[in-house]
Amino acid sequence: MTSETYRNPVLDADWSDPDVVRVGDDFYLTASSFGRVPGLPLLHSRDLVNWTLVGHALERLEPAEEFAAPRHDCGVWAPSLRYHDERFWIFWGDPDQGIFQVNAPAVRGPWTRPHLLKAGKGLIDPCPLWDEETGEAYLVHAWAKSRSGVKNRLTGHRMRPDASGLLDEGKVIVDGDRIPGWFTLEGPKLYRHDGWFWILAPAGGVETGWQGAFRSRGFFGPYEERIVLEQKDTDVNGPHQGAWVRTPSGEDWFLHFQQRGAYGRVVHLQPMRWGPGGTSRSNGAESGGDWPVLGDDGAPVAEHRRPDLPPQPPAAPATDDDFPGGRYGRQWQWTANPGDGWATQHSGDGLRLTCVRSQDAHDLRKLPHVLTQRLPGAPCTAEVELRLDSDEPGARAGLAVLGDAFGWIGLQRGTDGTVHLVHRFAEAVAEGERDAAHPRLASEGRARLRIEIGAGARCRFSADVGDGFRPSGPVFAATPWRWVGALLGLFALAPAGQGHAGAAAFTRFRISAS
């Protein structure tokens, strides 16, 4: 790679189901956040290659009581980000509730509270369009079979221009069952270009699928289709679901995800042009004309010339944190709606987490008070310093790799008052954790904790309790949730009981490349 080129992925972590919009010289991206809080992350870039996390659009998930406990694969699915009428708009589908939207005058807010635009089960992947030529507004969405019994089709609506409601019952505008070879059609993004309505939508499943393009002279169809991006002979499996964006100079680019197991869905940037290309398996209403051509004639690129945009310094979403004043950075999310007093502010540096009492202390997957960030997609080492400030027997705190299976290393107060270094794990099918190594004494109640994350998200745990870093237990292979990549997490907890159970202090959280 040279200063004039970039390499994919441009976001090497789980920024799932990305959508992008340009406003002036700035590009903004949002992604799925599922059951984590705050939700709807907001990233900013000036060159489509270097991105920083600038905030979130959703402070809490609603209804609040339904997200008081973790629902890791639920919540915010596949949002769409648009700019219209001098406001930012985000639409998303909650597969159990329906289609929501929020909006704001600036990307940093204030964002409105979620408005339920269409109630129903299995309504996912919504995308709005405001037609500047006619003043009309439209909405398209997909279906989750797990909730509705329906999939592989896209439904369209006319929408009120203020996005307060829909104007009709909806109509299936693309039926994937009628296109030979197509299945799991979802994730539509809706555009108007060159006199056509365009829907860019993936099919074929996240692991092995492709990116499709559909066009019609009228919103409700009929649509003809092309496959415009697929794996071909590259190592980029399932390259699809993303966003078309045009630079001020008129260049076209497409950002999409690639599913990478425990690392989640990493984001790639593809060059895009208009011309003949792609493959069709249907009899369209009209032939000829230009189509989007993505990547290298429909195959993902690994390295490419940078967009024709002013050079920017290298940047990436933050990972390290000194927790100034006890505050945690934007990169952290709770595994459910946060409770009062989980993290307390103070005058120095370091994160002070309350040892929250829980009857589920044996299973981190069930705890809402785990503070998480995305697992980096490249080999790295995560490290943090921990002090356990609790005299409660059974109180514990640590550094975790959290997914369908989990592992953690940290400190626990014993019934005899001593503090031990412990390392525990749970398989995906296990109902609780068990020891991965023999506990050993941590006489001062302090430890430096480390997880080395190698190829294939294989994690090696180690700790220093005053005698240097020593490895602990066997290698642990991180696993994703159903739709979500594995997470790094910090936690403090205590067994069920009465009264305050103390706290734990975390300092100098660092992730370094291996």
Side-chain angles (χ1 to χ4, degrees):
M1 184 174 67
T2 70
S3 61
E4 298 179 351
T5 63
Y6 70 91
R7 286 195 64 84
N8 277 316
V10 293
L11 283 166
D12 199 4
D14 187 27
W15 301 96
S16 178
D17 313 313
D19 195 21
V20 182
V21 68
R22 178 177 67 86
V23 180
D25 294 327
D26 298 286
F27 300 91
Y28 299 98
L29 180 150
T30 193
S32 296
S33 50
F34 298 97
R36 302 193 302 278
V37 181
L40 290 172
L42 298 163
L43 286 78
H44 170 254
S45 177
R46 284 288 183 92
D47 63 1
L48 292 172
V49 174
N50 296 285
W51 293 88
T52 57
L53 178 63
V54 297
H56 292 81
L58 191 61
E59 290 187 7
R60 299 178 73 84
L61 290 162
E62 297 185 9
E65 61 276 8
E66 293 198 15
F67 291 95
R71 302 178 68 203
H72 297 286
D73 299 328
C74 302
V76 176
W77 283 22
S80 290
L81 174 62
R82 292 293 182 264
Y83 187 76
H84 168 71
D85 197 22
E86 299 185 344
R87 297 187 73 82
F88 289 88
W89 301 78
I90 301 179
F91 289 63
W92 75 93
D94 179 318
D96 299 303
Q97 299 185 71
I99 294 169
F100 290 89
Q101 61 94 344
V102 293
N103 58 87
V107 76
R108 290 174 174 82
W111 289 86
T112 60
R113 288 190 62 178
H115 170 68
L116 184 60
L117 185 64
K118 180 181 180 180
K121 296 281 189 179
L123 309 178
I124 59 169
D125 308 349
C127 185
L129 172 70
W130 287 269
D131 189 336
E132 303 297 340
E133 297 178 13
T134 65
E136 294 190 314
Y138 303 94
L139 182 83
V140 63
H141 71 81
W143 295 85
K145 187 175 182 178
S146 60
R147 272 68 165 192
S148 65
V150 174
K151 72 169 187 175
N152 205 32
R153 65 187 63 174
L154 306 179
T155 294
H157 291 269
R158 293 180 63 240
M159 183 176 70
R160 296 184 188 276
D162 63 359
S164 63
L166 302 176
L167 297 174
D168 55 38
E169 294 300 312
K171 175 186 175 183
V172 175
I173 58 176
V174 180
D175 186 347
D177 290 346
R178 295 179 177 271
I179 307 174
W182 283 58
F183 59 96
T184 316
L185 175 64
E186 57 188 354
K189 296 292 183 282
L190 182 59
Y191 305 95
R192 197 85 157 93
H193 172 67
D194 197 26
W196 298 86
F197 287 90
W198 289 90
I199 299 174
L200 302 183
V206 296
E207 297 280 358
T208 58
W210 58 88
Q211 177 66 37
F214 300 81
R215 70 178 186 182
S216 175
R217 292 296 186 185
F219 172 70
F220 288 103
Y223 283 85
E224 54 181 324
E225 107 290 334
R226 294 286 189 278
I227 294 175
V228 294
L229 186 70
E230 54 188 329
Q231 181 171 355
K232 296 190 176 179
D233 60 355
T234 75
D235 60 359
V236 181
N237 61 293
H240 66 232
Q241 188 154 333
W244 164 37
V245 67
R246 176 166 284 178
T247 70
S249 66
E251 285 187 347
D252 293 312
W253 296 85
F254 185 77
L255 289 109
H256 67 92
F257 77 71
Q258 174 198 9
Q259 173 67 38
R260 289 190 56 220
Y263 301 113
R265 300 173 180 182
V266 302
V267 179
H268 292 240
L269 175 66
Q270 303 295 337
M272 174 174 164
R273 60 181 175 84
W274 293 85
T279 56
S280 175
R281 297 193 180 116
S282 68
N283 296 316
E286 184 175 340
S287 61
D290 287 344
W291 287 80
V293 181
L294 304 183
D296 181 8
D297 287 329
V301 300
E303 183 174 345
H304 195 270
R305 173 189 59 80
R306 286 175 176 264
D308 182 20
L309 293 163
Q312 302 294 320
T319 56
D320 296 354
D321 207 340
D322 286 320
F323 309 107
R327 297 174 177 85
Y328 48 87
R330 296 186 182 99
Q331 67 268 34
W332 297 97
Q333 296 171 292
W334 300 101
T335 47
N337 282 333
D340 294 335
W342 287 0
T344 56
Q345 297 179 10
H346 52 87
S347 59
D349 288 349
L351 176 69
R352 191 167 180 82
L353 292 183
T354 299
C355 291
V356 178
R357 292 188 180 276
S358 174
Q359 62 182 5
D360 293 316
H362 60 287
D363 193 340
L364 297 184
R365 295 165 296 198
K366 297 180 179 180
L367 300 181
H369 53 276
V370 182
L371 193 60
T372 67
Q373 63 169 280
R374 292 162 179 83
L375 188 75
C380 64
T381 298
E383 190 172 313
V384 71
E385 298 176 11
L386 167 65
R387 186 183 73 243
L388 183 61
D389 296 329
S390 173
D391 295 326
E392 180 75 14
R396 69 203 72 162
L399 171 65
V401 176
L402 187 63
D404 202 24
F406 69 86
W408 67 273
I409 192 166
L411 299 175
Q412 178 169 324
R413 179 74 66 178
T415 55
D416 62 355
T418 59
V419 176
H420 287 86
L421 177 78
V422 295
H423 177 194
R424 301 206 174 105
F425 77 101
E427 303 151 282
V429 296
E431 295 183 356
E433 64 190 23
R434 58 194 180 97
D435 286 331
H438 294 294
R440 55 191 177 98
L441 195 63
S443 58
E444 296 184 5
R446 297 172 179 266
R448 295 167 66 198
L449 310 173
R450 179 183 290 172
I451 304 175
E452 297 172 76
I453 306 160
R458 293 172 64 83
C459 302
R460 295 182 179 273
F461 292 77
S462 59
D464 175 8
V465 292
D467 53 358
F469 274 101
R470 293 167 58 181
S472 179
V475 171
F476 172 82
T479 63
W481 310 96
R482 188 175 183 188
W483 310 121
V484 184
L487 303 166
L488 291 171
L490 304 176
F491 70 92
L493 63 92
Q498 299 296 318
H500 185 65
F506 295 87
T507 54
R508 285 187 53 79
F509 182 89
R510 295 288 184 270
I511 294 180
S512 56
S514 296

